[in-house]
Amino acid sequence: MANEAEKGVVGSRLRDGEYVSLLMELMGEHIKKVGRNINKDSVNKLVEDILNANAIFLMGAGRSGLVARAFAMRLMHLGLKVYVVGETTTPAVKRDDLVIAISGSGETRSIVSLARIAKEEIGAKLATITSNPESSLAKLSDTVILVEGKKADEISDVDYLERRMMGMHTKLTPLGTIFEITSLILLDSVVAELIARTGASEEELKARHSTLE
Amino acid sequence: MANEAEKGVVGSRLRDGEYVSLLMELMGEHIKKVGRNINKDSVNKLVEDILNANAIFLMGAGRSGLVARAFAMRLMHLGLKVYVVGETTTPAVKRDDLVIAISGSGETRSIVSLARIAKEEIGAKLATITSNPESSLAKLSDTVILVEGKKADEISDVDYLERRMMGMHTKLTPLGTIFEITSLILLDSVVAELIARTGASEEELKARHSTLE
Amino acid sequence: MANEAEKGVVGSRLRDGEYVSLLMELMGEHIKKVGRNINKDSVNKLVEDILNANAIFLMGAGRSGLVARAFAMRLMHLGLKVYVVGETTTPAVKRDDLVIAISGSGETRSIVSLARIAKEEIGAKLATITSNPESSLAKLSDTVILVEGKKADEISDVDYLERRMMGMHTKLTPLGTIFEITSLILLDSVVAELIARTGASEEELKARHSTLE
Amino acid sequence: MANEAEKGVVGSRLRDGEYVSLLMELMGEHIKKVGRNINKDSVNKLVEDILNANAIFLMGAGRSGLVARAFAMRLMHLGLKVYVVGETTTPAVKRDDLVIAISGSGETRSIVSLARIAKEEIGAKLATITSNPESSLAKLSDTVILVEGKKADEISDVDYLERRMMGMHTKLTPLGTIFEITSLILLDSVVAELIARTGASEEELKARHSTLE
């Protein structure tokens, strides 16, 4: 169907409902490609950082902050001591803690500023999920996982097909959409890695899942 | 590589870092399959509900609640009047509003209870994203989008390969992982559909994006 | 000035800015009166519940939920294991935990429903801060702290003066305002009680205060 | 009873439960004193800022952030267009909007940084509730409401009695407690002022109150 899209609909508008189908296929393809190209050493470093930390703090702004929370919730299910920066009962970060920042641009001001405090003033370990290896966050970090978002040239199929499909410059995956989706799936795959290494069972995870909801 | 996984590693443990890569490929493949099978009529109904509503209210518990927020943020970027149930300045739901609930099981107690108030007491329109067409939420709803999560038999590749890969019953995508990921991507594809229909440009979306972060 | 208000301005409108001053005096007076009449046995029971719990879970809807969070944050500063129901990394409630609910009416549906799960299904201890001793929440609870809100007849000075001042039926402290304010101050006084009993120093509290803000 | 406290218990420990009662009286007295001394011109300026703004944005960190939300909720009940910075559907701040910051020290880094963006880059109006008239936030702001917290010398009764009562230096109202409580009550009194000026009825407020909770 991706081929049909490339051939058939250049410059024309799809029928109602067809964008959903096509976009899901494009995003699925993008995820697979990122999965094939992921740097296993960085992933292993992040996994070690997580398993060695006293406590883990997640942070991110906007939708990247939601991805941070989704990952934090699973780390809690795994029995780790984990907090989201900015939530009510999040304590002070200490020297032997790990702070994980999520930011596509790596330049979100509040996150860079908090990362600087965590790294330079407190001396905690800092890991970053970003699209931008040259960003302030990436440069500050001990561990960087590069997630190719919309700016990556080599994984440009979504952008490319979008433009062909529409015959115009409308952006169907606006702002950080591709980065956020890919980061969420990457981090859920890190959860799989943690489950495989620790041998955690679904029953154990379920027993820690909030009972008041 | 999925083929390698199927053949080579049955019953054996992958090397560190390989789970991330493999899981991303499996999830990407799952997304593509759901995209191909998605019910376009339901999607079109949801898109119409959104465009016709006076205001839109999103709700969900746990990670489904995070997916609800990620979608709400994009609807705000599109210039729609949208709120997340439970946030500070969310007003009363009215008769001509749309409430969108996200719940894999369709039985999360607090969400079912709020859906009942919205639908039966207030008379608002109710749309649900769920894996379970027989659930309380699905039965209450005007519009149901079925997202095949981990329980679906016909899209069982993730579960199947997970088991083969591990040679045991550890679950690498625990609880609602597959449902949550697939719902997020489905709803970002609904955003694409809304952009295509309304002709919204990325500049317009960006201008509405929070400037204080 | 309260006397001036009673005499001088019956039926007339105050000058701009004078309401703030007068309302603060009325609320301050209300707080003092509640402090004098507070049931010390209930307070001691709550303090014991808190010190004996394995973990403490706070919950409340709307502004009562904000009061719940303000109290939770101080319990964290005191070094206790404490969570807010609905936040990202809040784990499952267990049998030896304490759940504290805040609700003026004692009938907020979602809170009553969660309290029932905590108490009847899980077997946790339940404490409630409410204005209504006959409410569903009060009846479910092991410990009830009664905070006289706007409905109490014997502490009616705010309502009374408001009406006189305005010569009409406008309500200057709408909805649960008086309950919420009084509950916050009551719970900050419980913090004082906990500090006095445990001998916690401000330095210890400060060291636990979030460093990323 | 304040007199009894001053005379009788110097250097001695109160009985269990008596701290709650005494602290509520001290805080009530503090609120009354702040109410008598409040600068009516600043309050009027804040009220005008609120009534003239296109949209209002509230922000604060930690417990000051909870006070910000409690005020935001009431402004929503009053029918104003109001958002909390950092919540999901909060849009971009524009030139004709009002940003209200709450910070006892006036130096909370993330808040000062956001205030600078709002004021210097966007050109929005900035109002601050703080204890510190010399702070970065106060200097940036168009409107400053000074709320005497624990650092104020002239309203030192809580600190003074605390010390006498305990015969030691334990702080019963730790960190920003007095500032936060006083700010909440001040802002609820500003709500009263807004109700008086606009003639809003409790029925109107109630009709806007969240129906899903």
Side-chain angles (χ1 to χ4, degrees):
Chain A
M1 184 166 174
N3 283 338
E4 270 176 63
E6 275 178 290
K7 280 184 221 132
V9 295
V10 177
S12 76
R13 216 176 153 285
L14 296 187
R15 275 191 299 279
D16 286 349
E18 292 187 349
Y19 291 96
V20 169
S21 202
L22 182 57
L23 263 285
M24 290 188 79
E25 289 205 59
L26 292 174
M27 292 187 200
E29 190 55 40
H30 178 76
I31 303 298
K32 289 178 74 173
K33 216 180 274 186
V34 173
R36 274 195 293 277
N37 296 331
I38 200 80
N39 183 323
K40 287 184 187 54
D41 291 340
S42 306
V43 166
N44 281 331
K45 203 149 171 289
L46 179 65
V47 169
E48 297 299 332
D49 288 349
I50 288 171
L51 293 173
N52 293 331
N54 169 52
I56 303 152
F57 292 76
L58 267 295
M59 63 182 188
R63 285 174 40 124
S64 292
L66 299 173
V67 171
R69 284 178 200 193
F71 186 50
M73 207 180 289
R74 280 290 181 263
L75 296 183
M76 178 272 282
H77 291 155
L78 281 165
L80 297 168
K81 198 153 81 178
V82 59
Y83 304 98
V84 174
V85 172
E87 293 208 342
T88 306
T89 57
T90 299
V93 174
K94 295 286 167 59
R95 219 184 147 70
D96 51 355
D97 293 335
L98 169 68
V99 176
I100 304 177
I102 304 181
S103 168
S105 70
E107 301 292 352
T108 313
R109 273 198 269 195
S110 61
I111 301 303
V112 173
S113 152
L114 295 175
R116 222 178 276 286
I117 299 174
K119 180 71 194 155
E120 296 176 352
E121 299 182 20
I122 299 170
K125 195 162 256 190
L126 179 67
T128 290
I129 322 294
T130 184
S131 293
N132 183 357
E134 303 305 319
S135 62
S136 305
L137 266 179
K139 284 174 187 162
L140 267 174
S141 297
D142 300 285
T143 302
V144 177
I145 307 255
L146 209 59
V147 171
E148 294 156 284
K150 60 172 180 171
K151 282 139 204 156
D153 285 340
E154 66 279 25
I155 305 186
S156 61
D157 50 346
V158 175
D159 277 8
Y160 175 70
L161 282 174
E162 273 181 10
R163 279 194 306 273
R164 292 205 60 184
M165 223 166 52
M166 302 291 300
M168 49 168 173
H169 296 289
T170 296
K171 187 99 190 85
L172 296 180
T173 53
L175 307 167
T177 300
I178 298 296
F179 170 77
E180 295 143 9
I181 283 175
T182 313
S183 296
L184 176 62
I185 294 182
L186 167 76
L187 291 171
D188 272 336
S189 301
V190 168
V191 169
E193 186 87 29
L194 287 164
I195 290 173
R197 289 206 199 179
T198 61
S201 75
E202 182 152 25
E203 286 64 38
E204 291 168 317
L205 274 79
K206 204 170 180 175
R208 295 192 194 93
H209 187 281
S210 175
T211 37
L212 298 190
E213 69 175 34
Chain B
M1 184 167 176
N3 283 339
E4 269 175 64
E6 276 177 290
K7 282 186 219 130
V9 296
V10 175
S12 76
R13 217 177 153 284
L14 296 187
R15 275 191 299 279
D16 286 349
E18 292 188 349
Y19 291 96
V20 170
S21 200
L22 183 58
L23 261 286
M24 290 188 79
E25 289 205 59
L26 292 175
M27 292 187 200
E29 190 54 39
H30 178 76
I31 301 300
K32 289 178 74 173
K33 217 179 272 185
V34 174
R36 276 195 292 276
N37 296 332
I38 199 79
N39 183 323
K40 286 183 189 53
D41 291 341
S42 307
V43 166
N44 282 329
K45 203 149 173 290
L46 179 65
V47 168
E48 296 300 332
D49 289 349
I50 289 170
L51 293 173
N52 293 332
N54 168 52
I56 304 152
F57 293 76
L58 267 295
M59 64 183 187
R63 285 174 40 123
S64 292
L66 298 173
V67 171
R69 285 178 198 193
F71 187 49
M73 207 180 290
R74 278 291 181 266
L75 296 183
M76 177 271 283
H77 291 155
L78 281 164
L80 297 168
K81 197 152 82 178
V82 58
Y83 304 98
V84 174
V85 172
E87 293 208 343
T88 306
T89 56
T90 299
V93 173
K94 296 284 166 60
R95 221 186 147 68
D96 51 355
D97 294 334
L98 169 68
V99 176
I100 303 177
I102 304 181
S103 168
S105 69
E107 300 292 352
T108 311
R109 272 197 267 194
S110 60
I111 302 303
V112 174
S113 154
L114 295 176
R116 222 177 277 284
I117 299 174
K119 180 73 194 154
E120 296 176 352
E121 299 182 20
I122 299 170
K125 194 161 257 193
L126 179 66
T128 290
I129 322 294
T130 184
S131 292
N132 184 355
E134 303 305 320
S135 61
S136 306
L137 267 179
K139 284 175 186 161
L140 268 173
S141 297
D142 300 285
T143 302
V144 177
I145 308 256
L146 209 58
V147 170
E148 295 155 283
K150 59 173 182 171
K151 282 139 205 156
D153 285 340
E154 67 279 26
I155 306 186
S156 61
D157 50 346
V158 175
D159 277 7
Y160 174 69
L161 282 175
E162 272 181 10
R163 279 193 307 273
R164 292 206 60 187
M165 222 166 52
M166 302 291 299
M168 49 169 172
H169 296 290
T170 296
K171 188 98 189 86
L172 296 181
T173 54
L175 307 167
T177 300
I178 298 296
F179 170 76
E180 295 142 10
I181 282 175
T182 313
S183 296
L184 175 63
I185 294 182
L186 167 76
L187 291 171
D188 272 335
S189 301
V190 168
V191 169
E193 186 86 28
L194 287 164
I195 289 174
R197 289 206 199 179
T198 61
S201 74
E202 182 151 25
E203 286 64 39
E204 291 168 316
L205 274 81
K206 205 169 180 176
R208 294 192 194 93
H209 187 281
S210 175
T211 37
L212 297 191
E213 69 176 35
Chain C
M1 184 165 176
N3 283 339
E4 270 175 63
E6 276 179 289
K7 280 187 219 130
V9 296
V10 176
S12 75
R13 219 178 151 285
L14 295 188
R15 274 190 300 278
D16 286 349
E18 292 187 349
Y19 291 96
V20 169
S21 200
L22 183 57
L23 261 287
M24 290 189 80
E25 289 205 59
L26 291 175
M27 292 188 200
E29 189 55 39
H30 179 76
I31 302 300
K32 290 178 73 172
K33 217 180 272 186
V34 174
R36 276 195 293 276
N37 295 333
I38 199 79
N39 183 323
K40 287 182 188 56
D41 290 342
S42 307
V43 166
N44 282 330
K45 203 149 172 290
L46 179 64
V47 169
E48 296 299 332
D49 289 349
I50 288 171
L51 293 173
N52 293 331
N54 167 53
I56 304 152
F57 293 76
L58 267 293
M59 64 182 187
R63 284 175 41 123
S64 291
L66 298 173
V67 171
R69 285 177 198 193
F71 186 50
M73 206 180 289
R74 279 290 181 265
L75 295 183
M76 177 272 282
H77 290 155
L78 281 164
L80 297 168
K81 198 153 80 179
V82 59
Y83 304 98
V84 174
V85 172
E87 293 207 344
T88 307
T89 57
T90 299
V93 173
K94 296 285 167 60
R95 220 186 148 69
D96 51 354
D97 293 335
L98 170 69
V99 176
I100 304 178
I102 305 182
S103 168
S105 69
E107 300 293 353
T108 312
R109 273 197 269 193
S110 61
I111 301 302
V112 173
S113 155
L114 295 175
R116 222 177 277 284
I117 300 173
K119 179 73 194 157
E120 297 176 352
E121 298 181 20
I122 300 170
K125 195 161 256 191
L126 179 66
T128 290
I129 321 293
T130 183
S131 293
N132 183 356
E134 302 306 319
S135 61
S136 305
L137 266 180
K139 284 174 186 162
L140 267 174
S141 298
D142 301 284
T143 302
V144 177
I145 307 256
L146 209 59
V147 170
E148 293 155 286
K150 60 174 182 170
K151 282 138 204 157
D153 286 340
E154 68 278 27
I155 307 186
S156 62
D157 50 347
V158 175
D159 277 8
Y160 175 68
L161 281 174
E162 272 180 10
R163 280 194 306 272
R164 292 208 58 188
M165 225 166 51
M166 302 291 299
M168 49 168 172
H169 297 290
T170 295
K171 188 99 190 87
L172 296 181
T173 54
L175 307 166
T177 300
I178 298 297
F179 171 76
E180 295 142 11
I181 282 175
T182 312
S183 295
L184 175 62
I185 295 182
L186 168 76
L187 291 171
D188 272 336
S189 302
V190 168
V191 169
E193 187 87 29
L194 287 163
I195 290 174
R197 288 206 201 180
T198 61
S201 75
E202 183 153 25
E203 285 66 37
E204 292 169 316
L205 275 81
K206 205 170 180 176
R208 293 191 195 94
H209 187 280
S210 174
T211 37
L212 297 190
E213 70 174 33
Chain D
M1 184 165 174
N3 283 339
E4 269 175 63
E6 276 179 288
K7 280 187 219 129
V9 295
V10 177
S12 76
R13 217 177 152 284
L14 296 187
R15 275 190 300 277
D16 286 349
E18 292 188 350
Y19 291 96
V20 169
S21 199
L22 183 57
L23 262 287
M24 290 190 79
E25 290 206 58
L26 292 174
M27 292 186 200
E29 189 55 39
H30 178 75
I31 302 301
K32 291 179 72 173
K33 218 180 272 185
V34 173
R36 275 196 292 276
N37 295 332
I38 198 79
N39 183 322
K40 286 183 188 55
D41 290 341
S42 307
V43 166
N44 281 331
K45 204 149 171 289
L46 179 65
V47 169
E48 296 299 332
D49 288 349
I50 289 170
L51 293 173
N52 293 332
N54 168 52
I56 303 153
F57 293 75
L58 267 293
M59 64 183 187
R63 286 175 39 124
S64 292
L66 299 172
V67 171
R69 286 178 197 192
F71 186 50
M73 207 180 289
R74 279 290 181 264
L75 295 184
M76 177 271 283
H77 291 155
L78 281 164
L80 297 168
K81 197 153 80 176
V82 59
Y83 304 98
V84 174
V85 172
E87 293 208 342
T88 306
T89 56
T90 299
V93 174
K94 294 284 167 60
R95 220 185 147 70
D96 52 354
D97 294 335
L98 170 69
V99 176
I100 303 178
I102 305 181
S103 168
S105 69
E107 300 292 352
T108 311
R109 274 197 268 193
S110 60
I111 302 303
V112 173
S113 154
L114 296 176
R116 223 178 277 285
I117 300 173
K119 179 72 194 157
E120 296 177 352
E121 299 182 20
I122 300 170
K125 195 162 255 191
L126 180 67
T128 291
I129 322 292
T130 183
S131 292
N132 184 355
E134 302 305 320
S135 61
S136 305
L137 267 178
K139 284 174 187 163
L140 268 173
S141 297
D142 300 285
T143 302
V144 177
I145 308 255
L146 208 61
V147 171
E148 293 155 286
K150 61 173 181 170
K151 281 140 204 154
D153 286 339
E154 66 280 26
I155 306 187
S156 62
D157 50 345
V158 175
D159 278 8
Y160 174 70
L161 281 175
E162 273 182 9
R163 279 195 307 272
R164 291 207 60 186
M165 225 167 52
M166 302 291 299
M168 48 167 173
H169 296 290
T170 297
K171 188 98 189 85
L172 296 181
T173 54
L175 306 168
T177 300
I178 298 296
F179 171 76
E180 295 141 11
I181 283 175
T182 312
S183 295
L184 175 62
I185 295 182
L186 167 76
L187 291 171
D188 272 335
S189 302
V190 168
V191 169
E193 186 87 28
L194 287 163
I195 290 174
R197 289 205 200 179
T198 61
S201 75
E202 182 151 25
E203 286 64 38
E204 291 168 316
L205 275 81
K206 205 170 180 176
R208 294 192 193 93
H209 187 281
S210 174
T211 36
L212 297 189
E213 70 174 35

